[in-house]
Amino acid sequence: MRRFTALPVAALALLLAGCAARGPHASAGRAAQTYVNPVLDRDFPDPALLKAPDGSWYAYATQGLGPAGQANIQLARSPDLVNWTHLGDALPRKPVWARTTQDFWAPDIRARDGRYFLYFSARPDPAPGGGEAGLCLAVATADMPEGPFIDSGRPLLCSGGFEAIDPFAFDDPVTGKRLLYWGSGFGPIKVQELAADGLGFAPGSRPIDLVHPVAEAAPGNYQRLVEAATVLLHEGWYYLLFSGDNCCGADAHYAVMAARSRSATGPFETLAEVTGRADSVILKRSGRWMAPGHTSAVQDSAGDWWLVYHAID
């Protein structure tokens, strides 16, 4: 189960292994800022970012811990990716199918046609007769980026374990298809086409396996479990960033990896497969910051890419 203590969000340049001193551009031509990680120093795992029409950045994260910080889906706002204000709960009302549970994980956010779509994972209420249910993928909508988001009323997909987690929505500009990536539970990362309204899967669509776990027990293998997909399109390549293999606890062993494809639905080749390297890692533990992962890749007004992620101090 994904549980963290004191997890900051931190900004990093895409595909670099160390922190950049130059900060994101607020506007073209403006002098660059500088920053020091963490940029949000609180329990805020699995960040997903959106730039709103007013220029503000919004970050959504896995639920907070403890009565004082409890939120189903956490929300923060920033003018510049560096200075953040925590706003509370983006999903203040639980779904009707998850009223008695408290497992709300790894949101993703998309703006479409003047509405905002929040994809997330949640544990459903126990079925009659008892027994712990697995996890589900779900979607909620709002008219504003700060919410409140209202659940669609039913899960998109449920699994018996924790396979149905870490959704990532991607509207492919090449094909026009709306896609949803997800996966963990020691299974592959998957993708499936969404319906035009974004509230369910396209009729007749099926999930496609993209990146598989590697069972090898070598100490440097971060791919024993794969999850937390993020996809971006750059110069004709679809880059799939993913995390593995053990996010949490005293033995956390977590890093960010990369794969690429000429199609949003694969096949993908990992960085290790392309280069012959021993692994596909692009971001791993450095100094005091352990288990970095679950990224959100965003572009500033100058066209530079930034990676936002959580890490454990």
Side-chain angles (χ1 to χ4, degrees):
M1 180 176 173
R2 190 182 303 277
R3 275 313 206 214
F4 301 91
T5 302
L7 290 185
V9 176
L12 193 77
L14 181 66
L15 300 183
L16 295 183
C19 292
R22 183 175 58 82
H25 289 255
S27 61
R30 178 177 170 181
Q33 295 179 325
T34 58
Y35 72 91
V36 176
N37 282 327
V39 293
L40 180 56
D41 191 5
R42 62 179 296 152
D43 174 66
F44 202 81
D46 309 327
L49 266 67
L50 168 81
K51 190 171 186 180
D54 67 359
S56 297
W57 292 93
Y58 287 84
Y60 306 78
T62 289
Q63 66 187 37
L65 295 175
Q70 189 65 69
N72 298 321
I73 297 294
Q74 295 189 82
L75 176 65
R77 182 171 57 210
S78 170
D80 54 15
L81 291 176
V82 174
N83 301 287
W84 290 92
T85 300
H86 196 273
L87 300 182
D89 199 341
L91 187 74
R93 189 169 68 186
K94 293 182 180 182
V96 295
W97 49 271
R99 285 175 173 165
T100 64
T101 60
Q102 190 60 53
D103 281 314
F104 294 92
W105 291 6
D108 184 54
I109 185 71
R110 285 293 170 270
R112 299 182 180 125
D113 306 322
R115 298 179 72 199
Y116 297 88
F117 292 73
L118 184 73
Y119 296 90
F120 60 97
S121 307
R123 189 177 302 278
D125 293 332
E132 187 176 20
L135 287 159
C136 301
L137 302 176
V139 59
T141 59
D143 295 327
M144 300 182 294
E146 60 268 38
F149 285 84
I150 306 299
D151 179 71
S152 67
R154 59 183 177 84
L156 294 171
L157 171 74
C158 293
S159 65
F162 66 104
E163 293 84 4
I165 68 166
D166 296 356
F168 177 82
F170 180 73
D171 295 349
D172 186 1
V174 176
T175 65
K177 292 182 178 180
R178 291 177 170 174
L179 303 171
L180 189 72
Y181 299 78
W182 78 91
S184 187
F186 296 97
I189 290 175
K190 302 174 182 289
V191 64
Q192 187 169 349
E193 185 180 356
L194 288 167
D197 64 5
L199 298 176
F201 290 113
S205 66
R206 296 289 184 271
I208 301 170
D209 294 347
L210 298 179
V211 176
H212 292 261
V214 175
E216 183 180 321
N221 179 20
Y222 288 91
Q223 205 170 318
R224 283 179 288 245
L225 175 145
V226 293
E227 59 187 15
T230 296
V231 175
L232 59 101
L233 177 60
H234 181 64
E235 295 182 351
W237 288 101
Y238 294 85
Y239 290 92
L240 171 62
L241 309 183
F242 59 99
S243 300
D245 70 321
N246 177 18
C247 69
C248 317
D251 298 323
H253 182 258
Y254 210 54
V256 181
M257 292 160 280
R260 71 178 186 181
S261 174
R262 290 296 190 183
S263 167
T265 55
F268 279 84
E269 52 186 357
T270 65
L271 182 59
E273 292 168 338
V274 172
T275 63
R277 284 175 36 175
D279 60 53
S280 299
V281 172
I282 62 169
L283 174 65
K284 63 181 179 180
R285 178 172 184 164
S286 177
R288 64 189 268 197
W289 299 106
M290 63 181 289
H294 206 116
T295 61
S296 185
V298 296
Q299 220 171 359
D300 67 16
S301 59
D304 292 328
W305 285 96
W306 295 87
L307 204 62
V308 180
Y309 60 95
H310 67 235
I312 302 173
D313 183 353

